[in-house]
Amino acid sequence: MLDGKKSLFSGMQATNTLTLGNYMGALRNWVDFEDEYETFYCVVDMHSITVRQDPAELRRRARALLTLYIAAGLNPEKNCIYYQSHVSAHAELSWILNCFTYMGELNRMTQFKDKSAKHTDNINSGLYTYPVLMAADILLFQSDIVPVGVDQKQHIEITRDIAERFNTIYGDVFTIPEPYLGKQGAKIMSLQEPEKKMSKSDENANATIFLMDDPDTIIRKFKRAVTDSDNTIRSTEEKPGIKSLIEIYCIATGKTIAETEKEFSSAGYGDFKLAVGESVVSMLKPIQDEFHRLEKEKDYIDGIIKGNAEKANYYATKTLRKVQKKVGFPERIR
Ligand code: AQP
């Protein structure tokens, strides 16, 4: 809760262009909250450097991501959209929370295990304490809910544990956040390995639809999507590829699974894959057009970056000061 209003935080990494998974699992849901909640949507550039980045490229991607938030429908007048690195309270609270987090807890984080297996030459302590920074992100804004995809649920659980531990020692300091998972799309699967989630950093370009992919690329990737040899369009656990394509189609068109199975009851996989590709192209077109328009509005975007960072700083510093006082840091002399 912030000033008597329910509050929400979520963010994404600018490690690559967003994927259809990021959109369907998280971003798409964000626009629903702007009236009821005080919302904070962050470009988590500090999280991004847990994996080695090219500096110029990271800066470019961070700006593109912030622009994409707006292009996807977030109204910057109603939602606080900002860069994590512009609000130093994230780092400061993260340090304090590190002192309330056990290594045993961090050792259990599956994202750390996955990412350290992927980046064996750079298993840095930032990658290891990533969940603590994420806890700081969320707790700074006294967030009631955190809309995320399924893969981030474990990080919300550790955030709750850290907050409850802190509150038990110091009183009611943090709101305990709940994860918010959309009814559909909480885990969009890789087009090449449908048992695995679609990921920004997948080395196989055919596995992932990027939000800015052009129509031909989108159609081509869907045509190559891995399915099975059964050739019936039904959503079952035994057919993970088809199940995932049906889910994507339902989200893109607003149809139900039953309607989709009926629509394609006599179609083959080729026709179905093409229809899924076309539905995604139509869904993404307005977002892509808006992104290209906004990209040219330099002053407008700069104004949002500046104004929203001030707002985020205001609320984040308020929580930070409270925490600093609780743990015993000396008061500032004015
Ligand atoms: N495949 C997915 N389906 C549904 N939701 C997803 N999310 C990520 N992949 C899927 C959700 O998108 C938000 C942004 O997450 P992030 O930027 O922190 O990236 P991530 O969770 O580490 O996943 P990525 O996009 O695959 O990045 P890499 O490859 O760098 O690890 C989160 O809410 C996430 O749940």
Side-chain angles (χ1 to χ4, degrees):
M1 288 284 237
L2 276 182
D3 295 344
K5 194 172 177 188
K6 281 192 283 184
S7 157
L8 173 162
F9 174 91
S10 198
M12 297 204 187
Q13 294 195 65
T15 38
N16 203 340
T17 316
L18 288 195
T19 71
L20 192 63
N22 299 136
Y23 179 70
M24 291 189 158
L27 183 53
R28 179 180 67 102
N29 298 320
W30 291 1
V31 289
D32 297 338
F33 297 103
E34 62 186 24
D35 292 323
E36 209 185 327
Y37 287 78
E38 195 70 67
T39 59
F40 298 87
Y41 294 112
C42 188
V43 172
V44 292
D45 47 358
M46 288 163 64
H47 284 279
S48 299
I49 62 163
T50 52
V51 173
R52 204 69 75 223
Q53 304 290 334
D54 173 76
E57 191 55 17
L58 178 60
R59 237 186 311 277
R60 190 191 64 73
R61 282 186 179 146
R63 187 168 176 108
L65 180 53
L66 188 134
T67 308
L68 197 51
Y69 282 179
I70 303 166
L74 286 182
N75 177 351
E77 305 293 328
K78 290 188 167 182
N79 301 280
C80 185
I81 300 168
Y82 70 101
Y83 294 131
Q84 187 182 29
S85 61
H86 286 192
V87 178
S88 58
H90 284 273
E92 293 182 73
L93 182 61
S94 177
W95 171 254
I96 296 174
L97 296 183
N98 262 308
C99 305
F100 292 84
T101 307
Y102 298 115
M103 288 177 66
E105 291 177 300
L106 294 175
N107 288 339
R108 287 196 289 275
M109 295 296 113
T110 53
Q111 181 174 290
F112 172 70
K113 289 181 198 162
D114 293 349
K115 291 213 170 168
S116 47
K118 243 191 220 170
H119 304 279
T120 45
D121 55 336
N122 183 23
I123 306 177
N124 60 72
S125 53
L127 200 57
Y128 186 63
T129 56
Y130 182 114
V132 186
L133 178 57
M134 184 162 159
D137 300 341
I138 295 165
L139 299 178
L140 270 179
F141 297 100
Q142 305 291 354
S143 311
D144 294 275
I145 59 164
V146 188
V148 284
V150 156
D151 61 317
Q152 290 296 338
K153 240 183 117 184
Q154 197 185 29
H155 288 165
I156 313 292
E157 277 155 21
I158 192 175
T159 300
R160 289 169 59 87
D161 292 342
I162 297 168
E164 278 165 2
R165 185 170 306 138
F166 197 93
N167 283 356
T168 303
I169 304 171
Y170 298 107
D172 214 7
V173 178
F174 294 124
T175 303
I176 308 298
E178 295 280 347
Y180 174 91
L181 300 179
K183 286 190 188 70
Q184 284 177 308
K187 191 171 184 185
I188 297 295
M189 309 313 268
S190 151
L191 296 185
Q192 290 299 309
E193 295 169 79
E195 347 15 73
K196 221 177 86 178
K197 77 157 190 159
M198 185 181 284
S199 175
K200 282 193 211 84
S201 53
D202 201 311
E203 276 158 19
N204 183 346
N206 286 322
T208 304
I209 301 289
F210 292 103
L211 289 199
M212 301 311 289
D213 277 348
D214 62 64
D216 289 347
T217 306
I218 293 173
I219 301 284
R220 195 186 65 240
K221 287 181 181 175
F222 276 110
K223 278 187 178 163
R224 290 185 187 165
V226 169
T227 48
D228 53 64
S229 52
D230 163 51
N231 223 28
T232 52
I233 292 148
R234 257 182 322 109
S235 177
T236 68
E237 295 304 326
E238 298 78 57
K239 297 159 70 68
I242 288 295
K243 182 170 183 275
S244 176
L245 292 179
I246 290 177
E247 185 174 18
I248 292 171
Y249 184 74
C250 288
I251 296 171
T253 59
K255 292 178 185 169
T256 64
I257 294 176
E259 283 167 349
T260 304
E261 287 176 342
K262 195 165 166 219
E263 182 180 354
F264 293 98
S265 57
S266 51
Y269 282 179
D271 289 342
F272 178 56
K273 286 179 182 178
L274 180 62
V276 180
E278 284 170 347
S279 72
V280 169
V281 168
S282 310
M283 180 188 71
L284 294 183
K285 183 162 187 321
I287 299 174
Q288 294 180 344
D289 290 349
E290 182 62 358
F291 175 83
H292 292 309
R293 188 189 72 75
L294 285 168
E295 246 185 340
K296 296 181 202 118
E297 303 279 342
K298 186 176 176 309
D299 292 347
Y300 171 68
I301 298 291
D302 284 350
I304 289 163
I305 291 171
K306 188 166 179 288
N308 280 341
E310 281 164 12
K311 179 175 175 183
N313 254 309
Y314 168 78
Y315 284 111
T317 306
K318 225 170 143 180
T319 301
L320 180 68
R321 294 285 175 262
K322 196 169 166 188
V323 171
Q324 288 172 327
K325 192 170 174 196
K326 291 282 183 189
V327 298
F329 292 171
E331 290 207 27
R332 279 148 208 266
I333 316 278
R334 286 170 204 282

